[in-house]
Amino acid sequence: MKLSDGFDARRLRPRSASSWRTRLGAALAALLATFGILLSMAGIAALLGQHSVLGPLNESTVAASLFAVIGLALLYVGVMLWRRCRRRARHANDLNMAPHLLKRRD
């Protein structure tokens, strides 16, 4: 296929917005996941009998199990948010073409 003189490949790519929002979102999501890991580890350690982990908050097994569950929930939310920010940052560099024209990756 012969390329015309007016063809510019840069028009196929969309204008990329500044990526500081996605980077900041990914950093906050990583911090959220890290905090979730630490909180769930503290809750599990309190359940296993290390009572000095949570200090005065470790009054019952219900509180320790609540810390573990909240920590796992924060970990899940942080990982999902991080994956969404990463996916959004990668799709900014894709070609701006119709999906049925792109090559399928199976």
Side-chain angles (χ1 to χ4, degrees):
M1 183 167 101
K2 184 177 178 182
L3 296 177
S4 65
D5 291 333
F7 178 75
D8 187 14
R10 287 178 287 174
R11 287 185 302 164
L12 291 176
R13 297 193 185 274
R15 287 192 173 262
S16 60
S18 61
S19 63
W20 64 270
R21 284 181 282 169
T22 55
R23 288 181 186 171
L24 183 64
L28 289 176
L31 284 175
L32 191 66
T34 303
F35 184 67
I37 288 172
L38 292 175
L39 193 61
S40 63
M41 284 175 55
I44 290 171
L47 282 174
L48 292 177
Q50 300 292 331
H51 297 290
S52 63
V53 173
L54 296 176
L57 295 175
N58 192 21
E59 296 296 325
S60 66
T61 58
V62 175
S65 61
L66 186 65
F67 279 125
V69 169
I70 290 173
L72 290 174
L74 284 178
L75 173 65
Y76 180 76
V77 169
V79 168
M80 288 299 123
L81 186 63
W82 181 76
R83 289 182 71 198
R84 178 181 286 179
C85 289
R86 187 172 160 97
R87 189 178 305 132
R88 185 169 292 175
R90 285 185 178 246
H91 281 300
N93 295 330
D94 285 347
L95 288 177
N96 195 11
M97 294 175 63
H100 70 278
L101 296 176
L102 296 174
K103 185 176 181 180
R104 293 180 188 238
R105 297 179 193 156
D106 291 333

XYZ file of all heavy atoms in Angstrom:
813
model
N 0.844 -1.171 0.000
C 0.000 0.000 0.000
C 0.890 1.235 0.000
O 1.842 1.328 0.774
C -0.887 -0.035 1.247
C -1.845 1.099 1.296
S -3.101 0.834 2.543
C -2.469 1.866 3.826
N 0.580 2.141 -0.854
C 1.367 3.350 -0.990
C 0.882 4.399 0.011
O -0.313 4.655 0.122
C 1.244 3.876 -2.410
C 2.101 5.071 -2.690
C 1.968 5.486 -4.137
C 2.786 6.716 -4.402
N 2.631 7.164 -5.787
N 1.808 4.982 0.747
C 1.468 6.028 1.709
C 1.369 7.365 1.002
O 2.207 7.706 0.170
C 2.523 6.110 2.811
C 2.655 4.890 3.704
C 3.777 5.088 4.701
C 1.359 4.639 4.436
N 0.357 8.104 1.340
C 0.212 9.423 0.738
C 1.112 10.419 1.456
O 1.613 10.171 2.546
C -1.249 9.870 0.802
O -1.620 10.034 2.145
N 1.276 11.568 0.859
C 2.157 12.582 1.435
C 1.584 13.184 2.710
O 2.319 13.626 3.575
C 2.409 13.700 0.415
C 3.248 13.220 -0.750
O 4.022 12.262 -0.537
O 3.116 13.786 -1.850
N 0.281 13.185 2.860
C -0.339 13.809 4.011
C -0.515 12.861 5.203
O -1.162 13.214 6.173
N 0.039 11.672 5.119
C -0.146 10.698 6.198
C 0.772 11.024 7.369
O 1.959 11.256 7.194
C 0.160 9.289 5.683
C 0.034 8.241 6.750
C -1.214 7.826 7.182
C 1.153 7.683 7.328
C -1.335 6.870 8.152
C 1.040 6.729 8.309
C -0.216 6.316 8.724
N 0.208 11.050 8.541
C 0.976 11.285 9.757
C 0.577 10.225 10.782
O -0.572 10.179 11.216
C 0.691 12.690 10.302
C 1.584 13.051 11.466
O 2.586 12.345 11.687
O 1.274 14.039 12.149
N 1.519 9.373 11.141
C 1.224 8.266 12.050
C 0.909 8.755 13.453
O 0.261 8.046 14.228
C 2.401 7.300 12.098
N 1.340 9.950 13.805
C 1.078 10.466 15.151
C -0.404 10.753 15.369
O -0.864 10.834 16.497
C 1.897 11.714 15.406
C 3.380 11.401 15.607
C 4.145 12.657 15.815
N 4.222 13.358 14.518
C 4.729 14.547 14.340
N 5.189 15.212 15.364
N 4.780 15.096 13.159
N -1.165 10.901 14.269
C -2.595 11.135 14.422
C -3.332 9.889 14.898
O -4.427 9.982 15.421
C -3.208 11.611 13.105
C -2.844 13.035 12.765
C -3.577 13.455 11.549
N -3.250 12.542 10.440
C -3.933 12.441 9.324
N -4.990 13.188 9.155
N -3.577 11.614 8.378
N -2.761 8.717 14.703
C -3.404 7.490 15.154
C -3.360 7.345 16.663
O -4.164 6.659 17.255
C -2.731 6.272 14.518
C -2.949 6.105 13.019
C -2.143 4.928 12.525
C -4.409 5.918 12.714
N -2.385 7.959 17.277
C -2.271 7.871 18.733
C -2.980 9.059 19.372
O -2.825 10.190 18.934
C -0.802 7.864 19.158
C -0.060 6.669 18.632
C 1.274 6.541 19.327
N 2.038 5.468 18.743
C 1.933 4.198 19.115
N 1.100 3.872 20.047
N 2.668 3.271 18.555
N -3.759 8.800 20.395
C -4.449 9.921 21.053
C -3.462 10.770 21.838
O -2.378 10.315 22.193
C -5.436 9.220 21.991
C -4.814 7.917 22.261
C -4.061 7.529 21.013
N -3.867 11.971 22.103
C -3.023 12.830 22.931
C -3.013 12.282 24.342
O -4.053 12.084 24.951
C -3.554 14.257 22.950
C -3.321 14.989 21.667
C -3.599 16.469 21.886
N -3.226 17.204 20.718
C -2.078 17.844 20.600
N -1.217 17.826 21.590
N -1.798 18.502 19.507
N -1.832 12.030 24.824
C -1.746 11.446 26.164
C -1.876 12.547 27.214
O -1.196 13.569 27.150
C -0.433 10.698 26.340
O 0.648 11.580 26.172
N -2.750 12.317 28.144
C -2.904 13.252 29.246
C -1.721 13.086 30.186
O -0.970 12.113 30.113
C -4.211 12.983 29.980
N -1.546 14.030 31.045
C -0.433 13.924 31.978
C -0.625 12.706 32.869
O -1.729 12.420 33.333
C -0.340 15.192 32.819
O -1.521 15.357 33.565
N 0.422 11.976 33.093
C 0.307 10.709 33.802
C 0.531 10.860 35.301
O 0.656 9.853 35.988
C 1.320 9.722 33.226
O 2.628 10.199 33.433
N 0.548 12.067 35.801
C 0.810 12.230 37.229
C -0.369 11.734 38.061
O -0.181 11.260 39.169
C 1.133 13.685 37.566
C 0.020 14.651 37.321
C -0.241 15.338 36.176
C -1.002 15.030 38.253
N -1.356 16.117 36.335
C -1.839 15.957 37.605
C -1.274 14.688 39.569
C -2.927 16.523 38.214
C -2.373 15.263 40.176
C -3.176 16.168 39.510
N -1.589 11.804 37.507
C -2.750 11.311 38.258
C -2.715 9.806 38.407
O -2.999 9.277 39.482
C -4.034 11.735 37.569
C -4.359 13.196 37.800
C -5.632 13.552 37.124
N -5.338 13.709 35.692
C -6.229 13.819 34.747
N -7.498 13.770 35.040
N -5.881 13.978 33.495
N -2.365 9.110 37.334
C -2.310 7.649 37.419
C -1.141 7.196 38.282
O -1.256 6.210 39.011
C -2.204 7.024 36.028
O -1.084 7.575 35.341
C -3.461 7.282 35.228
N -0.037 7.913 38.218
C 1.104 7.564 39.071
C 0.790 7.805 40.543
O 1.136 6.999 41.408
C 2.334 8.360 38.670
C 2.925 7.914 37.363
C 4.145 8.721 37.023
N 4.624 8.367 35.699
C 5.557 9.010 35.061
N 6.126 10.074 35.619
N 5.939 8.623 33.863
N 0.132 8.912 40.830
C -0.255 9.204 42.212
C -1.281 8.190 42.711
O -1.197 7.712 43.849
C -0.818 10.625 42.305
C -1.209 11.101 43.700
C 0.016 11.184 44.594
C -1.900 12.444 43.616
N -2.226 7.832 41.860
C -3.206 6.823 42.227
C -2.570 5.465 42.474
O -2.930 4.755 43.414
N -1.600 5.092 41.639
C -0.904 3.816 41.824
C -0.079 3.829 43.107
O -0.012 2.819 43.820
C -0.020 3.521 40.621
N 0.531 4.963 43.419
C 1.321 5.056 44.652
C 0.422 4.961 45.884
O 0.755 4.268 46.852
C 2.114 6.358 44.668
N -0.724 5.645 45.853
C -1.658 5.559 46.975
C -2.234 4.151 47.111
O -2.439 3.657 48.225
C -2.772 6.580 46.808
C -2.358 8.034 47.019
C -3.533 8.961 46.727
C -1.844 8.255 48.414
N -2.476 3.493 45.990
C -2.987 2.128 46.034
C -1.941 1.177 46.608
O -2.278 0.262 47.376
C -3.397 1.678 44.635
N -0.674 1.389 46.264
C 0.384 0.554 46.829
C 0.516 0.774 48.334
O 0.723 -0.184 49.090
C 1.710 0.847 46.125
N 0.383 2.020 48.771
C 0.409 2.292 50.210
C -0.786 1.662 50.919
O -0.649 1.122 52.030
C 0.418 3.804 50.461
C 1.745 4.513 50.226
C 1.554 6.017 50.391
C 2.782 4.009 51.194
N -1.932 1.690 50.285
C -3.122 1.082 50.862
C -2.958 -0.435 50.983
O -3.306 -1.021 52.012
C -4.340 1.421 50.000
C -5.704 1.096 50.555
C -5.982 1.954 51.775
C -6.755 1.349 49.495
N -2.388 -1.057 49.945
C -2.149 -2.501 49.993
C -1.114 -2.848 51.057
O -1.261 -3.849 51.777
C -1.701 -2.994 48.627
N -0.086 -2.025 51.191
C 0.938 -2.276 52.216
C 0.341 -2.154 53.618
O 0.608 -2.985 54.490
C 2.094 -1.277 52.050
O 2.617 -1.398 50.728
C 3.188 -1.543 53.053
N -0.476 -1.139 53.822
C -1.131 -0.972 55.116
C -2.076 -2.139 55.406
O -2.190 -2.596 56.535
C -1.884 0.360 55.155
C -2.514 0.657 56.475
C -1.732 0.908 57.585
C -3.892 0.681 56.614
C -2.320 1.180 58.817
C -4.480 0.953 57.827
C -3.682 1.195 58.928
N -2.740 -2.636 54.366
C -3.605 -3.791 54.519
C -2.841 -5.037 54.918
O -3.291 -5.815 55.766
N -1.657 -5.239 54.311
C -0.821 -6.389 54.673
C -0.385 -6.290 56.129
O -0.469 -7.263 56.888
C 0.408 -6.470 53.742
C -0.009 -6.910 52.351
C 1.451 -7.429 54.296
C 1.108 -6.839 51.340
N 0.072 -5.114 56.530
C 0.539 -4.950 57.909
C -0.587 -5.122 58.919
O -0.403 -5.762 59.969
C 1.196 -3.576 58.074
C 2.508 -3.377 57.330
C 2.975 -1.938 57.472
C 3.556 -4.337 57.838
N -1.756 -4.593 58.605
C -2.882 -4.706 59.526
C -3.366 -6.149 59.640
O -3.661 -6.631 60.738
C -4.016 -3.791 59.074
C -5.145 -3.544 60.054
C -4.603 -2.882 61.313
C -6.191 -2.664 59.423
N -3.401 -6.856 58.511
C -3.835 -8.253 58.572
C -2.801 -9.120 59.278
O -3.165 -10.046 60.023
C -4.124 -8.787 57.172
O -2.951 -8.776 56.395
N -1.527 -8.830 59.088
C -0.494 -9.591 59.814
C -0.590 -9.353 61.315
O -0.432 -10.289 62.107
C 0.897 -9.204 59.298
C 1.233 -9.806 57.961
S 2.797 -9.252 57.279
C 3.937 -9.613 58.558
N -0.872 -8.129 61.713
C -1.017 -7.835 63.141
C -2.243 -8.530 63.719
O -2.197 -9.069 64.833
C -1.118 -6.327 63.356
N -3.335 -8.550 62.968
C -4.531 -9.231 63.436
C -4.336 -10.731 63.556
O -4.773 -11.355 64.532
N -3.648 -11.328 62.572
C -3.394 -12.766 62.618
C -2.430 -13.103 63.747
O -2.600 -14.103 64.450
C -2.882 -13.251 61.249
C -4.015 -13.182 60.227
C -2.338 -14.672 61.330
C -3.585 -13.424 58.807
N -1.426 -12.271 63.959
C -0.494 -12.509 65.065
C -1.206 -12.397 66.405
O -0.913 -13.163 67.335
C 0.664 -11.518 65.001
N -2.146 -11.482 66.518
C -2.902 -11.362 67.766
C -3.807 -12.571 67.969
O -4.014 -13.017 69.099
C -3.719 -10.081 67.760
N -4.329 -13.120 66.883
C -5.150 -14.322 67.000
C -4.320 -15.543 67.404
O -4.813 -16.441 68.077
C -5.860 -14.613 65.674
C -7.093 -13.770 65.364
C -7.592 -14.067 63.965
C -8.178 -14.029 66.376
N -3.060 -15.568 66.974
C -2.206 -16.708 67.286
C -1.601 -16.639 68.675
O -0.916 -17.565 69.085
C -1.093 -16.824 66.236
C -1.560 -17.210 64.837
C -0.390 -17.215 63.866
C -2.251 -18.560 64.847
N -1.795 -15.538 69.366
C -1.354 -15.481 70.754
C -0.263 -14.475 71.048
O 0.192 -14.389 72.176
N 0.182 -13.709 70.104
C 1.172 -12.663 70.346
C 0.419 -11.415 70.800
O 0.105 -10.545 70.009
C 1.985 -12.376 69.081
C 2.741 -13.555 68.545
C 3.856 -13.967 69.474
O 4.405 -13.139 70.193
N 4.183 -15.245 69.479
N 0.142 -11.322 72.062
C -0.743 -10.273 72.561
C -0.109 -8.888 72.593
O -0.801 -7.906 72.760
C -1.234 -10.635 73.966
C -2.045 -11.882 73.969
N -3.295 -11.943 73.427
C -1.780 -13.133 74.432
C -3.784 -13.159 73.556
N -2.879 -13.910 74.170
N 1.173 -8.812 72.446
C 1.801 -7.496 72.492
C 1.788 -6.801 71.137
O 2.288 -5.692 71.004
C 3.247 -7.635 72.976
O 3.985 -8.401 72.048
N 1.235 -7.431 70.120
C 1.253 -6.851 68.774
C 0.354 -5.627 68.685
O 0.755 -4.577 68.199
C 0.824 -7.916 67.737
C 0.684 -7.289 66.376
C 1.837 -9.028 67.694
N -0.861 -5.745 69.172
C -1.810 -4.641 69.057
C -1.875 -3.773 70.300
O -2.597 -2.787 70.322
C -3.205 -5.187 68.741
C -3.350 -5.894 67.397
C -4.736 -6.459 67.264
C -3.036 -4.960 66.263
N -1.162 -4.139 71.329
C -1.136 -3.341 72.543
C -2.472 -3.377 73.270
O -3.054 -4.439 73.467
N -2.971 -2.214 73.664
C -4.233 -2.195 74.421
C -5.452 -2.523 73.563
O -6.529 -2.754 74.085
C -4.306 -0.766 74.948
C -3.488 0.018 74.010
C -2.391 -0.897 73.548
N -5.304 -2.560 72.231
C -6.453 -2.863 71.378
C -6.786 -4.348 71.374
O -7.843 -4.744 70.893
C -6.177 -2.397 69.944
C -6.021 -0.897 69.748
C -5.631 -0.603 68.327
C -7.306 -0.184 70.106
N -5.888 -5.151 71.871
C -6.095 -6.596 71.841
C -6.817 -7.069 73.097
O -6.284 -7.782 73.919
C -4.758 -7.316 71.685
C -4.961 -8.771 71.351
O -6.014 -9.151 70.874
N -3.958 -9.561 71.613
N -8.058 -6.695 73.251
C -8.845 -7.095 74.406
C -9.573 -8.409 74.165
O -9.856 -9.143 75.090
C -9.860 -6.003 74.754
C -9.218 -4.710 75.187
C -8.430 -4.856 76.482
O -8.851 -5.634 77.343
O -7.383 -4.200 76.597
N -9.896 -8.700 72.927
C -10.655 -9.912 72.640
C -10.231 -10.473 71.282
O -9.567 -9.810 70.493
C -12.155 -9.614 72.633
O -12.456 -8.769 71.561
N -10.664 -11.683 71.036
C -10.382 -12.294 69.735
C -11.235 -11.680 68.640
O -10.864 -11.740 67.468
C -10.623 -13.806 69.795
O -11.969 -14.043 70.187
C -9.671 -14.466 70.767
N -12.358 -11.085 69.016
C -13.219 -10.431 68.026
C -12.500 -9.223 67.429
O -12.530 -9.004 66.214
C -14.562 -10.017 68.661
C -15.407 -9.241 67.668
C -15.306 -11.227 69.174
N -11.838 -8.450 68.274
C -11.101 -7.282 67.778
C -9.937 -7.717 66.895
O -9.683 -7.106 65.847
C -10.593 -6.455 68.947
N -9.245 -8.769 67.280
C -8.121 -9.244 66.469
C -8.593 -9.778 65.117
O -7.981 -9.503 64.084
C -7.362 -10.331 67.225
N -9.695 -10.520 65.123
C -10.219 -11.022 63.849
C -10.770 -9.888 62.994
O -10.675 -9.927 61.767
C -11.291 -12.076 64.100
O -12.358 -11.515 64.813
N -11.311 -8.857 63.629
C -11.779 -7.691 62.885
C -10.613 -6.966 62.217
O -10.723 -6.540 61.058
C -12.531 -6.744 63.824
C -13.213 -5.548 63.183
C -14.324 -6.018 62.260
C -13.761 -4.630 64.246
N -9.487 -6.848 62.918
C -8.296 -6.245 62.316
C -7.799 -7.070 61.131
O -7.401 -6.522 60.101
C -7.173 -6.094 63.338
C -7.319 -4.890 64.209
C -7.329 -5.021 65.591
C -7.449 -3.632 63.670
C -7.463 -3.917 66.401
C -7.583 -2.517 64.471
C -7.599 -2.665 65.844
N -7.832 -8.380 61.259
C -7.378 -9.242 60.169
C -8.281 -9.105 58.949
O -7.797 -9.006 57.810
C -7.320 -10.694 60.634
N -9.584 -9.063 59.168
C -10.529 -8.951 58.053
C -10.429 -7.581 57.391
O -10.437 -7.475 56.157
C -11.967 -9.237 58.541
C -12.995 -8.866 57.496
C -12.098 -10.696 58.930
N -10.321 -6.539 58.186
C -10.169 -5.194 57.614
C -8.862 -5.080 56.838
O -8.808 -4.471 55.768
C -10.271 -4.117 58.723
C -11.704 -4.033 59.241
C -9.825 -2.757 58.215
C -11.874 -3.122 60.434
N -7.805 -5.683 57.360
C -6.525 -5.673 56.649
C -6.600 -6.392 55.317
O -6.068 -5.917 54.309
N -7.277 -7.540 55.277
C -7.430 -8.259 54.009
C -8.299 -7.482 53.025
O -8.040 -7.489 51.822
C -8.009 -9.645 54.261
C -7.070 -10.628 54.957
C -7.802 -11.916 55.270
C -5.850 -10.886 54.108
N -9.310 -6.791 53.535
C -10.150 -5.969 52.656
C -9.354 -4.790 52.085
O -9.477 -4.470 50.894
C -11.367 -5.466 53.422
N -8.541 -4.160 52.913
C -7.691 -3.066 52.411
C -6.687 -3.571 51.390
O -6.393 -2.887 50.402
C -6.962 -2.387 53.572
C -7.784 -1.443 54.431
C -6.933 -0.899 55.572
C -8.335 -0.309 53.604
N -6.148 -4.755 51.621
C -5.222 -5.350 50.654
C -5.920 -5.585 49.324
O -5.381 -5.254 48.257
C -4.663 -6.663 51.205
C -3.803 -7.487 50.245
C -2.537 -6.724 49.893
C -3.473 -8.823 50.864
N -7.120 -6.125 49.350
C -7.872 -6.384 48.123
C -8.187 -5.086 47.380
O -7.983 -4.993 46.162
C -9.163 -7.132 48.456
C -9.998 -7.431 47.250
C -9.650 -8.447 46.374
C -11.144 -6.686 46.977
C -10.417 -8.710 45.259
C -11.912 -6.947 45.869
C -11.550 -7.966 45.013
O -12.310 -8.212 43.906
N -8.656 -4.082 48.102
C -8.991 -2.803 47.467
C -7.742 -2.139 46.895
O -7.765 -1.593 45.784
C -9.703 -1.873 48.480
C -9.814 -0.458 47.955
C -11.068 -2.414 48.815
N -6.628 -2.206 47.617
C -5.391 -1.605 47.130
C -4.876 -2.276 45.871
O -4.436 -1.608 44.932
N -4.940 -3.599 45.819
C -4.466 -4.310 44.631
C -5.364 -4.023 43.433
O -4.876 -3.797 42.318
C -4.372 -5.826 44.919
C -4.174 -6.623 43.646
C -3.237 -6.104 45.882
N -6.678 -4.014 43.643
C -7.593 -3.726 42.535
C -7.420 -2.289 42.021
O -7.428 -2.051 40.813
C -9.041 -3.936 42.968
C -9.421 -5.378 43.151
S -9.240 -6.309 41.632
C -8.124 -7.582 42.159
N -7.232 -1.343 42.918
C -7.016 0.047 42.510
C -5.683 0.200 41.780
O -5.593 0.909 40.774
C -7.067 0.964 43.735
C -7.006 2.454 43.479
C -8.216 2.903 42.686
C -6.951 3.201 44.798
N -4.663 -0.508 42.249
C -3.360 -0.452 41.591
C -3.441 -1.035 40.189
O -2.873 -0.485 39.244
C -2.329 -1.198 42.436
C -0.959 -1.168 41.852
C -0.085 -0.117 41.865
C -0.304 -2.214 41.150
N 1.080 -0.462 41.222
C 0.961 -1.747 40.774
C -0.674 -3.511 40.811
C 1.858 -2.534 40.075
C 0.228 -4.288 40.108
C 1.471 -3.794 39.747
N -4.147 -2.141 40.035
C -4.296 -2.756 38.717
C -5.072 -1.850 37.776
O -4.740 -1.747 36.592
C -4.999 -4.100 38.839
C -4.125 -5.154 39.479
C -4.826 -6.468 39.544
N -4.927 -7.008 38.199
C -5.767 -7.962 37.856
N -6.582 -8.475 38.745
N -5.801 -8.414 36.624
N -6.099 -1.166 38.287
C -6.877 -0.257 37.447
C -6.036 0.933 36.985
O -6.088 1.334 35.816
C -8.099 0.246 38.198
C -8.912 1.232 37.387
C -10.075 1.730 38.149
N -11.072 0.669 38.218
C -12.227 0.787 38.844
N -12.517 1.903 39.469
N -13.085 -0.205 38.853
N -5.241 1.494 37.892
C -4.373 2.623 37.517
C -3.315 2.188 36.514
O -3.005 2.915 35.569
C -3.709 3.212 38.755
S -4.831 4.098 39.824
N -2.777 1.015 36.701
C -1.761 0.510 35.777
C -2.360 0.242 34.393
O -1.761 0.545 33.377
C -1.155 -0.756 36.358
C 0.015 -1.286 35.602
C 0.638 -2.407 36.394
N 1.438 -3.253 35.557
C 2.734 -3.143 35.436
N 3.362 -2.225 36.116
N 3.407 -3.948 34.651
N -3.558 -0.319 34.362
C -4.226 -0.578 33.087
C -4.548 0.722 32.371
O -4.382 0.845 31.157
C -5.507 -1.364 33.340
C -6.168 -1.868 32.080
C -7.409 -2.686 32.374
N -7.100 -3.782 33.273
C -7.818 -4.073 34.353
N -8.860 -3.335 34.669
N -7.509 -5.083 35.121
N -4.989 1.729 33.123
C -5.307 3.019 32.518
C -4.051 3.706 31.984
O -4.081 4.350 30.941
C -5.993 3.911 33.532
C -6.462 5.216 32.936
C -7.345 5.939 33.885
N -8.594 5.175 34.022
C -9.547 5.497 34.873
N -9.412 6.541 35.646
N -10.645 4.780 34.950
N -2.935 3.550 32.678
C -1.686 4.158 32.206
C -1.176 3.470 30.944
O -0.599 4.117 30.072
C -0.631 4.078 33.300
N -1.401 2.176 30.831
C -0.942 1.461 29.637
C -1.834 1.712 28.434
O -1.362 1.719 27.309
C -0.873 -0.039 29.916
C 0.288 -0.399 30.760
C 0.380 -1.892 30.900
N 1.557 -2.224 31.683
C 2.588 -2.868 31.184
N 2.580 -3.256 29.949
N 3.624 -3.122 31.947
N -3.140 1.892 28.648
C -4.035 2.105 27.525
C -3.900 3.490 26.924
O -4.423 3.732 25.845
C -5.482 1.866 27.935
C -5.838 0.421 27.999
N -5.753 -0.411 26.919
C -6.268 -0.357 29.020
C -6.119 -1.622 27.250
N -6.433 -1.617 28.547
N -3.219 4.380 27.584
C -3.017 5.713 27.017
C -2.078 5.674 25.822
O -2.100 6.550 24.978
C -2.467 6.660 28.080
N -1.260 4.627 25.711
C -0.295 4.535 24.614
C -0.787 3.661 23.469
O -0.064 3.441 22.513
C 1.025 3.977 25.133
C 1.670 4.912 26.125
O 1.486 6.124 26.038
N 2.401 4.361 27.071
N -1.993 3.120 23.552
C -2.504 2.258 22.500
C -2.910 3.071 21.283
O -3.156 4.268 21.361
C -3.711 1.470 22.990
C -3.311 0.345 23.915
O -2.095 0.036 23.965
O -4.197 -0.206 24.576
N -3.014 2.371 20.161
C -3.464 3.021 18.945
C -4.941 3.346 19.052
O -5.718 2.618 19.663
C -3.229 2.119 17.738
C -1.776 1.951 17.316
C -1.703 0.973 16.168
C -1.176 3.269 16.919
N -5.320 4.432 18.426
C -6.699 4.875 18.441
C -7.408 4.317 17.212
O -7.716 5.025 16.274
C -6.737 6.404 18.459
C -8.097 6.913 18.826
O -8.955 6.169 19.248
N -8.299 8.209 18.645
N -7.627 3.005 17.233
C -8.271 2.341 16.103
C -9.474 1.556 16.609
O -9.612 1.298 17.798
C -7.296 1.383 15.414
C -6.142 2.092 14.745
S -4.952 0.942 14.071
C -5.894 0.086 12.868
N -10.331 1.180 15.682
C -11.490 0.386 16.043
C -11.050 -0.981 16.554
O -10.084 -1.553 16.033
C -12.404 0.232 14.835
N -11.739 -1.535 17.537
C -11.311 -2.825 18.106
C -11.335 -3.972 17.097
O -10.529 -4.888 17.193
C -12.309 -3.076 19.227
C -12.894 -1.760 19.541
C -12.842 -0.967 18.285
N -12.230 -3.943 16.094
C -12.271 -5.049 15.164
C -11.133 -4.997 14.155
O -10.912 -5.961 13.425
C -13.632 -5.087 14.453
C -13.857 -3.962 13.489
N -14.282 -2.717 13.914
C -13.689 -3.877 12.158
C -14.385 -1.923 12.861
N -14.032 -2.591 11.788
N -10.398 -3.894 14.096
C -9.250 -3.805 13.197
C -7.947 -4.252 13.846
O -6.975 -4.485 13.158
C -9.079 -2.364 12.705
C -10.220 -1.815 11.847
C -9.963 -0.362 11.521
C -10.374 -2.630 10.589
N -7.949 -4.351 15.169
C -6.738 -4.740 15.874
C -6.536 -6.242 15.799
O -7.484 -7.018 15.651
C -6.836 -4.301 17.333
C -6.906 -2.794 17.563
C -7.147 -2.511 19.025
C -5.619 -2.149 17.115
N -5.291 -6.662 15.912
C -4.969 -8.088 15.877
C -5.397 -8.722 17.202
O -5.130 -8.185 18.268
C -3.465 -8.252 15.688
C -3.030 -9.678 15.521
C -1.549 -9.741 15.250
C -1.119 -11.172 15.063
N 0.327 -11.267 14.805
N -6.006 -9.881 17.111
C -6.458 -10.560 18.315
C -5.305 -11.256 18.994
O -4.468 -11.868 18.340
C -7.530 -11.580 17.985
C -8.780 -10.934 17.520
C -9.813 -11.977 17.209
N -10.940 -11.346 16.595
C -12.159 -11.402 17.076
N -12.382 -12.055 18.185
N -13.139 -10.800 16.463
N -5.274 -11.167 20.324
C -4.242 -11.853 21.116
C -4.912 -12.925 21.926
O -5.580 -12.658 22.908
C -3.543 -10.856 22.036
C -2.821 -9.785 21.281
C -2.180 -8.825 22.238
N -1.751 -7.643 21.520
C -1.577 -6.473 22.073
N -1.807 -6.318 23.346
N -1.177 -5.459 21.362
N -4.748 -14.151 21.533
C -5.396 -15.270 22.238
C -4.436 -15.960 23.159
O -3.310 -16.044 23.019
C -5.974 -16.264 21.264
C -7.175 -15.654 20.534
O -7.826 -14.758 21.089
O -7.442 -16.108 19.429
